Amino acid sequence: MDEIFHRVSIRKYENRPVEHEKLMKILRAGMQAPSAGNQQPWEFYIVTCPEYIQALSKSHIYAGCAAEAPVLIVSVYRKEGLWVPEYAQIDMAIAQENMWLETDALGLGGVWLGIAPIRERMDTVAKILDLPDNVEAFSIFALGYPAEQKPQEDRFDESRIHFVKGDKFNSESTHI
């Protein structure tokens, strides 16, 4: 899983389409994610139309980098028929991470643009795509062939690791 230690946010892309086969592998990786109660709340909208890409790139202040991406994957989750709907956004986050790692593994780059849980963003994306009422917008994932190289920062911080030792009534928390 070198992708975990290689993946970075890519915001600049070559002017080149992403092959259908690669998109399907990315979506397969997303749908392979675990979900609460196996509810699999996800659905995905693949956007390649420049007019829609431009509109979505204006959906919120941080989405501007999506304007030059050859493809956007808008992830949405169903609101109906879920065993534990309160976990739908967590399920979506896991699916999105899987898609990002597969994107990196395929030699592509991407950036996750948060939509949920900010209602204004969710409503804006729903309006742009004319989403049905039974789904909520979760994220925009802009991706393509990278036109920039960035090293991944090492985020490991031992001071954030705590070991709990002992039994329930006699535990001590210690740092490494």
Side-chain angles (χ1 to χ4, degrees), residues 94-108:
I94 299 167
Q96 179 60 65
E97 179 70 5
N98 278 9
M99 292 191 314
W100 206 348
L101 293 173
E102 182 65 10
T103 297
D104 187 80
L106 293 171
L108 300 167

Side-chain angles (χ1 to χ4, degrees), residues 16-85:
R16 156 182 179 194
V18 175
E19 297 86 350
H20 179 80
E21 297 77 21
K22 288 187 177 184
L23 287 173
M24 291 299 106
K25 286 182 178 183
I26 292 166
L27 294 165
R28 179 177 289 278
M31 291 184 201
Q32 197 61 34
S35 66
N38 199 28
Q39 63 188 353
Q40 303 176 36
W42 40 72
E43 294 189 18
F44 304 98
Y45 289 75
I46 311 308
V47 181
T48 57
C49 171
E51 291 80 15
Y52 278 98
I53 289 173
Q54 290 305 308
L56 289 165
S57 76
K58 296 173 183 159
S59 63
H60 66 82
I61 190 169
Y62 302 108
C65 60
E68 301 302 318
V71 64
L72 305 179
I73 299 175
V74 178
S75 299
V76 306
Y77 60 94
R78 293 186 311 282
K79 298 188 289 185
E80 301 165 348
L82 303 178
W83 289 88
V84 280

Side-chain angles (χ1 to χ4, degrees), residues 1-2 4 34 49 52 108 110-111 118 125 130 143 151 154 164 169:
M1 286 299 302
D2 290 337
I4 290 173
C49 171
Y52 278 98
L108 300 167
V111 63
I118 301 171
V125 170
D130 194 24
L143 69 137
D154 185 354
V164 178
F169 301 103

